[in-house]
Amino acid sequence: MFTRPFIDSLDFARRGGEISGEVPMAELPRMADLLTDFEGKISYVLHGLFGKDSKPRLALTLNGSCNLRCQRCLNTLAYPIELVSYLRLVTEDELDSSDIEDDEVDSIPAEKRLDVLALLEEELILSLPIAQKHALDECKIAVEGLKRSDNPFAVLAGLKK
């Protein structure tokens, strides 16, 4: 059984903590609807740090691959994952203030018991394309469709007679 890591997010950021590991795709249940199978692993590194504005942040780096479904041919698409996310930790006091609106950095609530895998899974889902597709020359149905020489208007011409 895989052990889920939990951290105190503010303490982790303040002391500059680092946690890393590797997660099999089967341990990420919210990804199930997006995947064709549970092959693949995600390597992660989570750093605690302070931003230029002296606010606590988390830096999450994800690397690996997963198998998604091509939206053109519905076959398996090997999708590489290379992601770096910077997340500002927002305390309850800051939630009501308007200075957390920063377009460059996403904000998340600071938690005493932050589930690292849930955070990893959320960032992974947000990073995936809405409609992933093979390159046009790699997609079997698209290539077959392009090679067809039938005129789509030939049927209409036959109806005209």
Side-chain angles (χ1 to χ4, degrees), residues 63-145:
N63 288 298
S65 67
C66 61
N67 293 325
L68 303 176
R69 187 163 312 281
C70 172
Q71 297 301 304
R72 187 180 293 129
C73 68
L74 301 178
N75 290 321
T76 299
L77 167 69
Y79 188 78
I81 297 164
E82 294 180 12
L83 174 68
V84 178
S85 282
Y86 293 97
L87 305 164
R88 180 176 165 201
L89 296 171
V90 180
T91 62
E92 287 184 30
D93 300 336
E94 295 174 308
L95 284 175
D96 296 331
S97 69
S98 62
D99 68 330
I100 64 169
E101 296 298 324
D102 185 357
D103 291 337
E104 294 180 19
V105 180
D106 293 327
S107 297
I108 62 170
E111 295 182 30
K112 285 278 189 199
R113 187 169 159 81
L114 177 68
D115 184 348
V116 174
L117 294 188
L119 176 66
L120 177 155
E121 190 172 26
E122 183 73 22
E123 289 300 308
L124 183 56
I125 289 170
L126 290 172
S127 74
L128 293 177
I130 293 171
Q132 59 281 354
K133 299 176 193 167
H134 289 110
L136 194 57
D137 59 335
E138 295 174 12
C139 199
K140 292 177 183 156
I141 290 179
V143 172
E144 289 171 8

